[in-house]
């Protein structure tokens, strides 16, 4: 490979990463940037390898939610869920030690060294409803909406704790980020209404 060609690939890599924030190795290869070029750029510090097959520029000024974008790139079929979604929607004070991501029943479990990930399997219906797409550090990141997240927290209360589910419910109602009717609709659709209803009724009464 000529020095001129390698330099052209470096310029392309810098431009693409500047435009998109984080990219998978497969995306960079499809754009004509060879792995050998990325390896050299990683060695000289002009590119950072932030995870398995994930690259970004070292000088990028990223937000506190950057890890969500990294997981969205690394798990393209996943949706940010549970405590991570609560935190994104400002419905909890919890700072989870890993990113919670929902994957399908038959999807392969993600193998990511960083950021730490906790994958939870959702059924087809639970994966398909209530998904919002937020752009975080130039990356389109699927995240369940506040009402759906609250319902999921009750569905997985044994994994995350009922206290966190209740915190999300109270904050969602108090801050008007999740309407009671929408919470109830998701709860009925996902067969958790009998569990959630007493907590929802009490929360609405307290806030009323």
């Amino acid at each position: 490979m000529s020095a001129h060609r390698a330099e052209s690939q470096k310029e392309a890599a810098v431009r693409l990463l500047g435009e998109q924030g984080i990219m998978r190795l497969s995306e960079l290869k499809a754009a004509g940037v060879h792995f050998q070029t990325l390896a050299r750029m990683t060695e000289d510090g002009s590119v950072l390898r932030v995870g398995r097959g994930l690259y970004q520029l070292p000088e990028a000024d990223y937000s506190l939610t950057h890890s969500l974008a990294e997981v969205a790139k690394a798990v393209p079929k996943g949706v940010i869920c549970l405590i991570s979604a609560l935190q994104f929607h400002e419905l909890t004070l919890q700072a989870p030690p890993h990113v919670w991501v929902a994957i399908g029943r038959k999807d392969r479990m993600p193998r990511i060294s960083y950021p730490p990930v906790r994958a939870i399997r959702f059924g087809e219906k639970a994966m398909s409803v209530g998904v919002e797409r937020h752009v975080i550090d130039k990356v389109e990141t699927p995240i369940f909406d506040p009402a759906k997240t609250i319902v999921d927290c009750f569905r997985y209360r044994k994994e995350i704790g009922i206290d966190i589910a209740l915190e999300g419910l109270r904050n969602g109602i108090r801050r008007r980020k999740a309407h009671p009717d929408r919470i109830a609709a998701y709860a009925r659709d996902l067969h958790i209404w009998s569990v959630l209803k007493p907590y929802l009724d009490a929360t609405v009464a307290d806030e009323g």
Side-chain angles (χ1 to χ4, degrees):
M1 183 185 298
S2 69
H4 175 73
R5 179 57 179 164
E7 182 64 25
S8 297
Q9 288 189 35
K10 286 183 66 174
E11 291 173 352
V14 170
R15 175 178 57 79
L16 289 166
L17 290 168
E19 293 170 352
Q20 300 192 36
I22 311 169
M23 294 185 72
R24 293 193 295 270
L25 173 61
S26 59
E27 294 171 324
L28 287 161
K29 288 174 68 175
V33 181
H34 295 169
F35 174 74
Q36 292 88 343
T37 300
L38 286 170
R40 285 194 293 271
M41 294 178 74
T42 301
E43 288 178 5
D44 66 24
S46 55
V47 162
L48 289 181
R49 183 178 180 270
V50 295
R52 186 185 178 93
L54 292 177
Y55 296 86
Q56 69 181 44
L57 296 178
E59 68 273 15
D61 182 18
Y62 290 121
S63 69
L64 293 175
T65 54
H66 182 61
S67 59
L68 305 185
E70 290 186 42
V71 172
K73 274 292 186 181
V75 191
K77 293 183 180 180
V79 183
I80 304 301
C81 67
L82 299 175
I83 306 176
S84 296
L86 284 181
Q87 185 185 44
F88 176 81
H89 293 301
E90 299 180 335
L91 297 180
T92 182
L93 296 176
Q94 299 290 323
H98 39 242
V99 177
W100 292 78
V101 61
I103 61 173
R105 295 290 188 200
K106 297 181 180 179
D107 290 343
R108 181 179 299 176
M109 292 295 288
R111 296 171 58 190
I112 305 170
S113 56
Y114 186 85
V117 170
R118 176 77 182 273
I120 297 289
R121 293 197 183 278
F122 277 31
E124 184 176 352
K125 188 169 189 178
M127 280 293 290
S128 63
V129 296
V131 180
E132 298 178 338
R133 297 186 180 277
H134 298 268
V135 176
I136 300 175
D137 298 329
K138 304 178 183 179
V139 176
E140 186 177 272
T141 306
I143 304 174
F144 288 116
D145 70 38
K148 172 63 162 45
T149 297
I150 290 166
V151 170
D152 287 336
C153 286
F154 277 90
R155 293 173 59 231
Y156 289 91
R157 61 196 179 280
K158 292 182 181 179
E159 282 80 2
I160 69 168
I162 189 65
D163 290 347
I164 295 176
L166 286 170
E167 180 191 20
L169 174 62
R170 291 173 185 137
N171 287 333
I173 298 297
R174 182 179 299 126
R175 298 172 187 176
R176 301 182 184 279
K177 292 192 174 186
H179 194 279
D181 289 347
R182 190 167 179 83
I183 294 173
Y186 281 135
R188 290 188 181 97
D189 284 347
L190 298 174
H191 310 294
I192 195 70
W193 178 235
S194 62
V195 171
L196 201 155
K197 184 179 186 301
Y199 295 108
L200 180 60
D201 289 346
T203 301
V204 171
D206 289 344
E207 295 301 319

